[in-house]
Amino acid sequence: MTKSPRPRTPSPVPGAKSFHNDGAKDIENSHMARKSEDVDVATFMREHLTPRPAGEGYMVPDNQYIGDVEKISGAKVKAAIYARVCALLNKISKRIYDTYIEAGVALDHTDRVLFLDHHTGPPEAPGLRIKAKPDIVGVFGTKKSMKDFFNKKTSSYTGVPYHRIITTGECKPEADEGAGQAVSYTCQHARARLDMPGTYALFANVRGYRILWSDASEVVKSPFVDWTELDLLEGYIRSLYFPPKNHHLWDPTISSPVVLPDAMGEGSKAHWTIAYNGNTYSDCNPFVLPRSWGRRTTVFMYEGGGNDFAVIKDAYRDDARRFEEATLINDIHAEGIFPGMVRLLDSGNVNGEDGTAIVTALPADRDKKVVHCTKKRLVMGSRVHRALFKRRRFLHRDLSMPNVLMYPEHSKKTMEGKQFISDPPKFIDEILGESNDNDDKCRALLIDADNSASLKSELMTDPALANALREELTMRTGTPRYIARAVASGEVVHNKLSRTFSSMPSLEGRAKEIYQRVYGQESYDRYEDSAGTFHGGRASSRKATDVTFIHRPDHDVESMFWLLVAVFLLAKPLGEPDYSTAKLYDAWGAMQRHTIAAPGHSDTREILLSQYNVESWQAALHPGLSCLAPLLDSLALQVQPEYAMMDPAPPEDHLHEAFRRLILEHIVGMGDTDIDLEVGIERETEPPTHGKRKADEDPDQDNRKKIKHSKGNRSTRHHNSYSLSK
């Protein structure tokens, strides 16, 4: 007896409060919806559908569906086409299902694929606000099992839980093209069905239909075919029972969705059970949902009680990438736990029903910008940066607000059979002699290394590896708001200020004493400038066109600057009004509008380097945090130049050193007054509409972080940046 792959069908999930997600119209008009192209029928059937098994029993009798097709073609009333298309789909599905049963094929599911007219309302999606309404949804079930969702007045179904839905369809009563809407349904499907790596969809009108396949790398559409040609339609339905190779409809490691209260107090959402490498993580809360295409990063939080927890990150990795996130993290911790970096409990490929790794369907085609990806999983046991580069030759390449966790904690399992490295880096509490309950003594944790690179010497001595690494480091990688300017453009910065270099900041008094005690006089002297040098390098007459862009360590420091700008702009003291200003709107707009554009495009954030001074930053920041303005001004002067234009070049970590000195000087100059910051409540970054602003919310008294503040002292140049991040 032949056994089919097991299409798993979770139990229905009851209704729950929903929250905003991407709108269907935005997705319909997205780059991916426009990018998707038709392939011919033979190619689509060969590459994306399961062929009809050999044998007379599997053949479709001639003219069996002619009556159903005539009814669809003759639909004149808008509501008529939905039910008529469903009738045809269900007739084909029943025949396929019955034929398999009669042939002795064992199916793990007991019910056939049932197509439902669902055009009168959106599916129920716990944790999502899905406004789009697929006209047709497919489930494993019977009409009896779905009776609770049937509306007798409209003779259609509504509110079917998305966790029951395995495929969706869009119908047009007229001869209109609506494949873009069908694409948008696959996007929402990926967010609601976290256990489905790929999905099929249908578009139909009175003239004919087309089939779509969507996974992390691509949307593929069949051509539009007439209703008299049903082989394509039969292949679509057959593939829901038996997906073809590399078309992974199911992730068997994710199952059993249940609706539970959200840990952040945002109503309820579906939680999932994840089984991986012999461990079961139940009731995992998905707090980062995937985008439909690309890496499709999804992050779950597992709470096992006490100090037993795990953060589970699923993402699709381009097989052509040189570095793998888990390998980099394990390498960082190879000689012992490295403080300030996320710790792993487990990692590897995620396997599908057939026991092979879950991958995207299409082979890589760089000319068509199609990548082949494998689904990876990190199980992390953690909820600076300079030491990682210096000691582990590690570039993060995507420093952004979501990738830096403040006040982290670690699962007790991360220390089992392990110890810290022998000479851990010094963090601010240890430098100042203050207490810190974290076992690694850091206030911030670096996560998300899937864009990162290793610069280890053994890679550079191998010519082939060195060439691959250089190619990797020319890629424009990062988050638009925080990416370094040169990385965003793919070329060195060349403007009026790019050759305006600043000297390495000097320390005096207690700040210098602390530095010398912690790091030593030799370290201080190593970065001191002599006549004509800046950060130890010298300005040159080199032309920008003669310098090849490559991702350097100072680019990560520039990203940290943009991260600090964003955090400082959004922060406000507890219980204080917004005090949003035109300068805030301008500054945030410059950050928000930035895109990773083609070389030669201007960077909208340059205004913050060229035109903002201490007074500008004071006007943009909350008045209660205006003492941060001198720090931002000082940091901006260090970030502004293009250090690739220096010859000889400064030490690789020169900008790290400049930031360390400025921040240390500012911390030492602070007083003892504390300011409580709002957590989860940010300042308004857009001008009010109709003369009104959203009312300030009552803060949660338990959700606060403290920063030390030199009260009323605007001459204090630097502040504790670490304590300001969310």
Side-chain angles (χ1 to χ4, degrees):
M1 179 177 287
T2 306
K3 190 176 179 63
S4 73
R6 184 172 60 92
R8 296 168 307 98
T9 308
S11 301
V13 178
K17 183 179 178 181
S18 298
F19 298 92
H20 178 69
N21 225 318
D22 287 353
K25 202 68 178 177
D26 294 336
I27 303 163
E28 180 183 345
N29 296 322
S30 70
H31 163 72
M32 185 60 73
R34 298 192 304 271
K35 172 178 176 285
S36 58
E37 299 180 355
D38 296 359
V39 298
D40 62 81
V41 173
T43 299
F44 191 92
M45 293 187 67
R46 181 180 67 254
E47 295 184 351
H48 300 291
L49 298 179
T50 300
R52 180 187 297 143
E56 184 177 347
Y58 292 96
M59 299 299 294
V60 180
D62 293 339
N63 303 324
Q64 178 170 339
Y65 306 120
I66 190 169
D68 301 278
V69 168
E70 289 176 347
K71 289 180 180 179
I72 295 172
S73 302
K76 302 297 183 183
V77 180
K78 184 176 182 180
I81 189 172
Y82 310 119
R84 295 180 185 183
V85 170
C86 284
L88 174 61
L89 295 173
N90 283 325
K91 184 175 288 188
I92 297 174
S93 178
K94 184 177 185 303
R95 175 169 180 81
I96 291 173
Y97 178 82
D98 290 346
T99 302
Y100 279 134
I101 296 299
E102 293 169 3
V105 177
L107 302 174
D108 284 336
H109 48 82
T110 58
D111 297 318
R112 64 180 174 87
V113 179
L114 178 68
F115 293 89
L116 306 174
D117 173 359
H118 204 283
H119 77 278
T120 57
E124 183 62 46
L128 304 173
R129 182 182 297 149
I130 291 182
K131 297 179 180 180
K133 300 179 293 186
D135 295 325
I136 293 174
V137 300
V139 301
F140 283 111
T142 63
K143 288 186 176 181
K144 183 177 180 180
S145 68
M146 304 303 295
K147 62 182 178 61
D148 291 342
F149 308 105
F150 185 71
N151 186 325
K152 293 182 179 179
K153 291 183 179 180
T154 62
S155 296
S156 63
Y157 294 79
T158 187
V160 172
Y162 233 119
H163 299 81
R164 292 291 302 271
I165 297 172
I166 61 172
T167 186
T168 54
E170 170 68 16
C171 291
K172 295 289 185 184
E174 309 275 334
D176 295 331
E177 178 57 70
Q181 286 178 261
V183 171
S184 75
Y185 300 151
T186 69
C187 173
Q188 297 184 117
H189 194 93
R191 293 175 177 244
R193 290 295 308 249
L194 301 181
D195 59 336
M196 290 189 69
T199 185
Y200 289 101
L202 165 76
F203 167 72
N205 63 28
V206 295
R207 293 190 299 108
Y209 66 95
R210 70 166 76 236
I211 307 299
L212 295 80
W213 165 259
S214 176
D215 61 20
S217 72
E218 183 65 276
V219 179
V220 187
K221 297 184 297 187
S222 77
F224 187 82
V225 300
D226 189 87
W227 283 114
T228 58
E229 303 175 26
L230 295 182
D231 285 349
L232 183 70
L233 195 67
E234 184 196 25
Y236 153 61
I237 298 173
R238 187 182 307 281
S239 298
L240 297 175
Y241 290 100
F242 293 95
K245 183 180 180 180
N246 292 340
H247 289 64
H248 294 270
L249 288 180
W250 317 105
D251 179 344
T253 69
I254 303 177
S255 64
S256 307
V258 294
V259 172
L260 297 171
D262 182 75
M264 299 301 293
E266 298 179 342
S268 299
K269 64 165 63 171
H271 290 54
W272 299 78
T273 293
I274 298 177
Y276 191 64
N277 288 345
N279 295 306
T280 299
Y281 307 91
S282 58
D283 300 336
C284 294
N285 177 14
F287 64 92
V288 174
L289 292 175
R291 296 183 180 274
S292 288
W293 308 287
R295 288 184 184 143
R296 200 182 269 187
T297 301
T298 310
V299 184
F300 303 85
M301 172 60 74
Y302 163 72
E303 297 280 1
N307 196 33
D308 177 20
F309 65 86
V311 179
I312 302 172
K313 173 185 172 182
D314 287 355
Y316 286 81
R317 175 182 176 272
D318 180 354
D319 294 342
R321 293 294 295 270
R322 173 68 183 85
F323 299 102
E324 189 167 344
E325 183 174 12
T327 303
L328 289 168
I329 296 175
N330 287 328
D331 188 54
I332 288 169
H333 295 298
E335 298 174 13
I337 292 177
F338 197 105
M341 188 65 188
V342 65
R343 307 176 194 172
L344 293 185
L345 297 173
D346 202 352
S347 63
N349 293 340
V350 180
N351 291 336
E353 292 283 349
D354 60 0
T356 64
I358 293 175
V359 296
T360 50
L362 289 177
D365 188 330
R366 296 296 169 181
D367 292 337
K368 295 182 178 180
K369 297 183 179 180
V370 176
V371 297
H372 187 266
C373 300
T374 301
K375 187 172 184 180
K376 302 286 185 176
R377 175 167 293 156
L378 299 182
V379 182
M380 299 173 281
S382 303
R383 301 239 236 228
V384 290
H385 178 57
R386 181 193 191 190
L388 287 175
F389 166 68
K390 285 280 285 182
R391 301 193 192 183
R392 295 295 183 265
R393 307 295 294 165
F394 171 84
L395 283 179
H396 191 279
R397 303 202 300 168
D398 191 13
L399 282 173
S400 58
M401 196 179 295
N403 291 346
V404 179
L405 299 183
M406 297 303 299
Y407 302 94
E409 61 177 334
H410 306 279
S411 169
K412 60 185 179 183
K413 293 182 178 179
T414 63
M415 290 300 297
E416 293 178 355
K418 300 177 182 177
Q419 59 185 6
F420 286 100
I421 57 174
S422 58
D423 184 22
K426 303 293 191 298
F427 294 99
I428 191 62
D429 289 319
E430 184 177 359
I431 293 171
L432 298 179
E434 298 184 1
S435 62
N436 187 317
D437 294 333
N438 285 341
D439 58 6
D440 58 7
K441 306 304 178 187
C442 66
R443 292 193 183 188
L445 190 71
L446 200 59
I447 64 171
D448 199 358
D450 53 5
N451 275 329
S452 303
S454 173
L455 306 184
K456 283 195 163 186
S457 58
E458 54 263 35
L459 296 177
M460 305 305 291
T461 55
D462 183 308
L465 292 178
N467 288 333
L469 177 59
R470 278 190 286 270
E471 181 179 355
E472 180 81 15
L473 293 179
T474 61
M475 295 177 63
R476 298 190 289 160
T477 295
T479 302
R481 190 185 298 163
Y482 311 106
I483 192 173
R485 293 159 297 155
V487 182
S489 65
E491 58 187 15
V492 298
V493 177
H494 49 93
N495 55 42
K496 293 180 179 180
L497 298 176
S498 60
R499 294 178 184 267
T500 305
F501 299 100
S502 297
S503 298
M504 178 64 66
S506 295
L507 298 177
E508 298 177 352
R510 184 165 177 262
K512 187 172 183 179
E513 292 174 3
I514 292 175
Y515 184 103
Q516 291 170 329
R517 172 176 54 82
V518 175
Y519 303 112
Q521 184 65 41
E522 182 181 350
S523 176
Y524 188 85
D525 293 341
R526 185 183 307 126
Y527 300 96
E528 282 294 272
D529 283 321
S530 58
T533 69
F534 305 93
H535 292 205
R538 292 184 181 274
S540 74
S541 58
R542 301 167 70 183
K543 296 180 180 180
T545 53
D546 295 334
V547 181
T548 302
F549 159 75
I550 192 169
H551 196 120
R552 303 187 311 274
D554 56 272
H555 291 139
D556 276 11
V557 184
E558 181 180 335
S559 291
M560 180 58 72
F561 169 75
W562 296 121
L563 170 61
L564 293 178
V565 170
V567 171
F568 289 1
L569 289 175
L570 297 177
K572 72 174 183 176
L574 184 65
E576 291 282 336
D578 253 14
Y579 292 119
S580 296
T581 64
K583 277 294 184 186
L584 169 63
Y585 305 146
D586 292 344
W588 188 255
M591 298 280 289
Q592 191 74 356
R593 290 194 305 274
H594 179 250
T595 60
I596 303 177
H601 282 66
S602 61
D603 193 308
T604 59
R605 301 166 301 173
E606 281 285 358
I607 187 176
L608 304 180
L609 299 175
S610 62
Q611 299 185 29
Y612 271 55
N613 54 23
V614 174
E615 290 73 23
S616 305
W617 288 118
Q618 287 174 338
L621 298 171
H622 191 282
L625 302 174
S626 61
C627 66
L628 297 171
L631 175 60
L632 286 178
D633 187 56
S634 298
L635 295 175
L637 288 175
Q638 299 293 332
V639 166
Q640 176 180 287
E642 175 52 86
Y643 292 100
M645 303 302 295
M646 303 186 84
D647 188 18
E652 289 181 308
D653 61 339
H654 67 97
L655 200 53
H656 298 80
E657 176 70 13
F659 269 50
R660 177 164 72 178
R661 293 187 181 196
L662 290 172
I663 292 172
L664 175 61
E665 183 184 29
H666 189 76
I667 293 171
V668 171
M670 294 188 304
D672 295 326
T673 302
D674 288 341
I675 290 183
D676 294 333
L677 291 183
E678 299 278 14
V679 174
I681 302 176
E682 301 172 347
R683 299 172 74 202
E684 292 289 336
T685 54
E686 295 182 1
T689 57
H690 308 297
K692 296 182 180 181
R693 185 182 304 284
K694 289 195 297 185
D696 289 329
E697 301 179 41
D698 291 331
D700 180 350
Q701 298 296 324
D702 294 327
N703 289 335
R704 61 181 70 173
K705 299 285 186 255
K706 295 185 177 182
I707 63 168
K708 291 185 175 180
H709 176 60
S710 181
K711 187 174 183 180
N713 182 6
R714 290 189 176 180
S715 65
T716 301
R717 295 180 58 205
H718 316 299
H719 201 81
N720 182 355
S721 62
Y722 296 111
S723 298
L724 285 171
S725 177
K726 297 187 296 179

